[in-house]
Amino acid sequence: MTEIASLGEFGLIDRLTDGIELANQSSLKGVGDDAAVLEYHETEVLVTTDLLLEGVHFDLTYVPLKHLGYKSAVVNFSDVYAMNGTPRQITVSLGISKRFTVEHIEALYSGIRHACEIYGVDLVGGDTTSSRQGLVISVTCIGDAPKDKIVYRNGAKDTDLICVSGDLGAAYMGLQLLEREKIASVGQKDFIPKFEGKEYLIERQLKPEARKDIIAELDQAGIKPTAMMDISDGLSSELLHICKQSHTGCRIYEDRIPIDYQTAVMAEELGMNLVTAALNGGEDYELLFTVPLHDHEKVSKLPGVKVIGHITKESLGCAMITRDNTEIELKAQGWNPLAQK
Amino acid sequence: MTEIASLGEFGLIDRLTDGIELANQSSLKGVGDDAAVLEYHETEVLVTTDLLLEGVHFDLTYVPLKHLGYKSAVVNFSDVYAMNGTPRQITVSLGISKRFTVEHIEALYSGIRHACEIYGVDLVGGDTTSSRQGLVISVTCIGDAPKDKIVYRNGAKDTDLICVSGDLGAAYMGLQLLEREKIASVGQKDFIPKFEGKEYLIERQLKPEARKDIIAELDQAGIKPTAMMDISDGLSSELLHICKQSHTGCRIYEDRIPIDYQTAVMAEELGMNLVTAALNGGEDYELLFTVPLHDHEKVSKLPGVKVIGHITKESLGCAMITRDNTEIELKAQGWNPLAQK
């Protein structure tokens, strides 16, 4: 194992960024100057950023560094797709505490670089420093979209259909499973965690994907959503953002919320309410979007997209209709990163 | 004092970003969606990022939060100016530990917003989360420049003149002074630090400015530097970056290095080598740049700019000529953020 101090900041950066090639035309100059230089003469520029802190956003006892790197990049790509854009560049800043070696940081970076390759994104800059505390990861993603393609949160209209991609709650159940096995492992030698039949949940938590494919499907189908977000804090919370910014209400139907079989089994096993997990779980990185009613036929044909309800007038509020036909008001019970633990 | 948990993430963001207006034409959409939307159809986009961690980059026992916010923004602007560009937008991500109240974060933000006003930059996004450790600040700055105006680090040529703005070493001496008074204050009630006659040093450390004025001067004088950087890690370290990337050597002259009177007095008082402080001190955020020899007359007339040496062939290496005419090899002894303390 190589001590980071033996390389110094610039030695470490050289090693981590060795062999990086720029794939996007808009990346004129990457790592190695005071700033990266990008060219966006035809399209608008999208900028999003996420801060991930050890002990708050991730637990290295069960998150492999390569997966963490991959996820750190992908969650930012997801924000750009949620604007109906294409991610093009990222910068990665790391705060590294003493217990990490060069090989650890290389593993983290290999995940970031792998995500960049898969999604066609260039790593163009960052900052690397020591941390007195745990690992700090700050990623900024730059993307682009033609002006008339950008989808904001505030464009939903009364009668629009509410759609989600994929399924919900699995990432949250994956986290519960990882936490359970972590507790079970305490003090045990050669502990083997019980993940059989629950691989999907683990993958959703540790290695989420951004829905680049759904953005492409919508484009091919000639559908431009009226509002869109990615689901990072939970369906309820995100839907309330769209309704607040669009000055609308909404109705969603419990029996339409897409939930995977493994998620349901896990909720049963843990004695948790399945719908609550799907509504408030978060970290699914699926897309939540609204489309005009006249796109109903088109959107119904899209694989991996489900219509779960519709937008209403603001005065009607935001609610879910349960299986027994009761209206329950939607509340933002999603993950609150500022809650005092 | 208001507990942060009582507002939640979105309540806090609403409060911090209340009344923000977008001043730049390129800022189409700021805070409040998955990503900010920017328009750069005529110019290139510059992106730079800095990560500041409590206990590594700042010590809140003597750094007021408002100053810290100001400095966090300005050091990023400085990187954009160092490309001969204009900073336009920033995103600010904060990791906040339990001991901070809403009022603390408002003070930090007021410094960031003040810097944005002074430099004409828009705050367009960020991320806010809790931290298990200390305060984490990650700032990304987006700026622009016409393609033919951008100055990289790799353009210095043999015989070019080496110039610096302002004076060097004061920020480092300010830090020494603050550390000295911190130690002196331990266990003392109503301690009054001895800053008299050394206000300049304190200001250079706590509230540095980016040299927007020098960029404007150069432009008005019709000078385009061949290479440029801002001095954040120390003159030696930065000069070695320019020479390495430009495949050149350099000679600078000890008696030409601009040093303020207060810096010299403080070095004397602390028994430190003054030139070492000026060469390796860092955090001056002055500009280091090279210009063609034929610009000698023009550059000599610029207020606040000093010619300190010249670029040579690579084979001659990088050295300083001392007052007694000895050549000393330049080494990167600047601040190493990854050194194990």
Side-chain angles (χ1 to χ4, degrees):
Chain A
M1 296 305 241
T2 316
E3 273 200 23
I4 287 171
S6 70
L7 293 181
E9 181 183 9
F10 303 113
L12 179 64
I13 292 171
D14 283 350
R15 186 141 158 190
L16 295 174
T17 58
D18 183 47
I20 281 187
E21 288 176 16
L22 301 177
N24 284 290
Q25 272 200 334
S26 54
S27 306
L28 299 190
K29 164 86 187 177
V31 173
D33 219 299
D34 294 286
V37 182
L38 316 176
E39 183 166 274
Y40 284 105
H41 290 182
E42 306 298 326
T43 54
E44 311 306 299
V45 181
L46 306 169
V47 179
T48 182
T49 188
D50 265 308
L51 181 61
L52 302 172
L53 304 179
E54 186 174 352
V56 177
H57 300 90
F58 54 87
D59 182 336
L60 291 175
T61 49
Y62 54 71
V63 177
L65 282 161
K66 186 172 177 177
H67 284 73
L68 179 61
Y70 191 87
K71 185 170 173 174
S72 306
V74 163
V75 301
N76 278 279
F77 302 162
S78 181
D79 277 320
V80 174
Y81 290 121
M83 301 294 289
N84 206 25
T86 307
R88 301 291 187 186
Q89 290 92 15
I90 55 168
T91 63
V92 177
S93 293
L94 298 178
I96 306 167
S97 59
K98 279 188 198 179
R99 72 181 201 279
F100 295 97
T101 63
V102 171
E103 288 74 13
H104 286 132
I105 305 304
E106 281 184 324
L108 180 74
Y109 242 73
S110 74
I112 295 169
R113 290 178 65 164
H114 186 56
C116 284
E117 278 160 34
I118 302 270
Y119 288 87
V121 173
D122 295 326
L123 179 60
V124 296
D127 192 13
T128 307
T129 187
S130 63
S131 160
R132 287 281 174 101
Q133 307 98 0
L135 184 62
V136 175
I137 306 173
S138 177
V139 175
T140 297
C141 183
I142 300 111
D144 74 333
K147 198 169 191 170
D148 60 352
K149 291 273 185 183
I150 298 174
V151 177
Y152 294 93
R153 296 177 177 179
N154 64 2
K157 298 271 183 301
D158 186 19
T159 78
D160 280 359
L161 300 171
I162 300 170
C163 310
V164 292
S165 63
D167 59 83
L168 301 178
Y172 178 74
M173 282 302 164
L175 183 62
Q176 301 309 313
L177 176 59
L178 286 162
E179 289 282 349
R180 185 184 77 180
E181 296 303 299
K182 179 188 168 183
I183 291 164
S185 75
V186 172
Q188 296 217 39
K189 226 183 149 184
D190 303 322
F191 177 79
I192 298 169
K194 289 183 194 132
F195 293 155
E196 264 176 50
K198 303 195 175 68
E199 293 79 5
Y200 179 67
L201 306 179
I202 301 296
E203 192 174 329
R204 291 286 280 179
Q205 172 56 226
L206 293 184
K207 193 169 175 286
E209 300 292 346
R211 298 310 304 260
K212 180 182 187 174
D213 55 335
I214 299 291
I215 296 301
E217 268 183 19
L218 288 167
D219 190 48
Q220 277 157 28
I223 301 169
K224 186 190 168 193
T226 50
M228 185 155 57
M229 279 184 79
D230 69 330
I231 302 177
S232 51
D233 295 342
L235 176 63
S236 272
S237 170
E238 315 304 15
L239 200 46
L240 288 170
H241 279 299
I242 285 181
C243 289
K244 186 182 171 192
Q245 292 204 22
S246 301
H247 301 290
T248 66
C250 70
R251 289 296 175 274
I252 58 171
Y253 297 87
E254 184 183 353
D255 60 359
R256 301 266 187 95
I257 296 173
I259 294 173
D260 185 79
Y261 174 75
Q262 289 190 15
T263 308
V265 169
M266 190 72 215
E268 180 73 27
E269 220 176 293
L270 296 172
M272 283 182 160
N273 185 302
L274 179 59
V275 176
T276 303
L279 281 179
N280 303 319
E283 293 204 277
D284 291 311
Y285 301 103
E286 294 296 342
L287 292 169
L288 167 68
F289 56 95
T290 56
V291 300
L293 190 54
H294 61 72
D295 279 336
H296 185 253
E297 205 178 327
K298 280 190 205 168
V299 85
S300 302
K301 286 181 191 157
L302 294 182
V305 170
K306 202 158 170 192
V307 177
I308 61 164
H310 58 87
I311 296 293
T312 66
K313 290 201 173 58
E314 189 169 22
S315 57
L316 295 175
C318 296
M320 180 175 74
I321 316 289
T322 62
R323 285 172 205 273
D324 60 5
N325 233 11
T326 316
E327 270 194 20
I328 300 180
E329 194 192 338
L330 289 178
K331 284 182 183 164
Q333 291 169 316
W335 189 65
N336 182 351
L338 291 172
Q340 303 290 321
K341 284 167 195 168
Chain B
M1 295 307 241
T2 317
E3 273 200 23
I4 287 172
S6 70
L7 293 181
E9 181 183 8
F10 303 113
L12 178 65
I13 291 172
D14 283 351
R15 186 141 159 189
L16 295 175
T17 59
D18 184 48
I20 281 187
E21 288 175 16
L22 301 177
N24 284 290
Q25 272 200 333
S26 54
S27 306
L28 299 190
K29 164 85 187 178
V31 174
D33 219 298
D34 294 286
V37 182
L38 316 176
E39 183 167 275
Y40 284 106
H41 291 183
E42 306 297 326
T43 53
E44 311 306 299
V45 181
L46 306 170
V47 179
T48 181
T49 189
D50 265 308
L51 181 62
L52 301 171
L53 303 178
E54 186 174 351
V56 178
H57 300 90
F58 54 88
D59 182 336
L60 292 174
T61 49
Y62 54 71
V63 178
L65 283 160
K66 186 172 176 176
H67 284 72
L68 179 61
Y70 191 88
K71 184 170 174 174
S72 306
V74 163
V75 301
N76 278 279
F77 303 162
S78 181
D79 278 319
V80 174
Y81 290 122
M83 302 293 290
N84 206 27
T86 306
R88 301 290 186 188
Q89 290 92 15
I90 54 168
T91 64
V92 177
S93 292
L94 299 178
I96 305 167
S97 59
K98 280 188 197 178
R99 72 183 200 279
F100 294 97
T101 64
V102 172
E103 288 74 13
H104 286 133
I105 305 304
E106 282 184 323
L108 181 74
Y109 242 72
S110 74
I112 294 169
R113 290 177 65 163
H114 186 56
C116 285
E117 279 160 33
I118 301 270
Y119 288 88
V121 173
D122 295 327
L123 179 58
V124 296
D127 192 13
T128 307
T129 187
S130 63
S131 161
R132 289 280 172 101
Q133 306 99 3
L135 184 61
V136 175
I137 307 172
S138 177
V139 176
T140 297
C141 183
I142 300 113
D144 73 333
K147 198 168 190 169
D148 60 352
K149 291 272 185 183
I150 297 173
V151 178
Y152 294 91
R153 295 178 177 178
N154 64 3
K157 299 270 183 304
D158 186 21
T159 78
D160 279 0
L161 301 170
I162 299 168
C163 309
V164 292
S165 64
D167 60 82
L168 302 178
Y172 179 74
M173 282 301 163
L175 182 63
Q176 301 310 313
L177 176 58
L178 287 162
E179 289 282 350
R180 186 185 75 180
E181 296 303 297
K182 179 187 168 184
I183 290 164
S185 75
V186 171
Q188 296 216 39
K189 226 182 151 185
D190 304 322
F191 177 79
I192 298 169
K194 290 183 193 132
F195 292 156
E196 266 176 48
K198 304 194 172 70
E199 293 78 5
Y200 178 67
L201 306 179
I202 301 296
E203 193 175 326
R204 291 286 280 181
Q205 172 57 226
L206 294 184
K207 194 170 174 286
E209 299 292 346
R211 299 310 303 262
K212 181 183 185 172
D213 56 334
I214 298 291
I215 297 300
E217 268 183 18
L218 287 167
D219 189 48
Q220 277 157 28
I223 301 170
K224 186 189 167 191
T226 49
M228 185 154 57
M229 281 185 77
D230 69 331
I231 302 177
S232 52
D233 296 342
L235 176 63
S236 272
S237 170
E238 315 303 15
L239 201 46
L240 289 171
H241 278 299
I242 285 182
C243 289
K244 186 183 171 191
Q245 292 203 21
S246 301
H247 302 289
T248 67
C250 71
R251 289 295 174 276
I252 59 171
Y253 297 87
E254 183 184 354
D255 61 359
R256 302 265 186 94
I257 296 172
I259 295 172
D260 185 80
Y261 174 74
Q262 288 189 16
T263 309
V265 169
M266 191 72 215
E268 180 73 26
E269 222 176 292
L270 296 172
M272 283 183 160
N273 185 304
L274 178 59
V275 176
T276 303
L279 282 179
N280 303 319
E283 292 205 280
D284 291 311
Y285 301 104
E286 294 295 344
L287 292 170
L288 167 68
F289 56 94
T290 56
V291 299
L293 191 53
H294 62 72
D295 279 338
H296 184 253
E297 205 177 329
K298 282 191 205 167
V299 84
S300 302
K301 287 181 190 158
L302 295 182
V305 170
K306 203 159 169 191
V307 177
I308 62 165
H310 57 86
I311 296 293
T312 66
K313 290 200 171 61
E314 189 169 22
S315 58
L316 295 175
C318 296
M320 180 175 75
I321 315 289
T322 62
R323 286 173 205 273
D324 59 6
N325 232 8
T326 317
E327 271 195 18
I328 299 180
E329 193 192 338
L330 289 178
K331 286 185 181 161
Q333 293 170 315
W335 189 64
N336 181 351
L338 290 173
Q340 304 288 324
K341 284 166 194 167

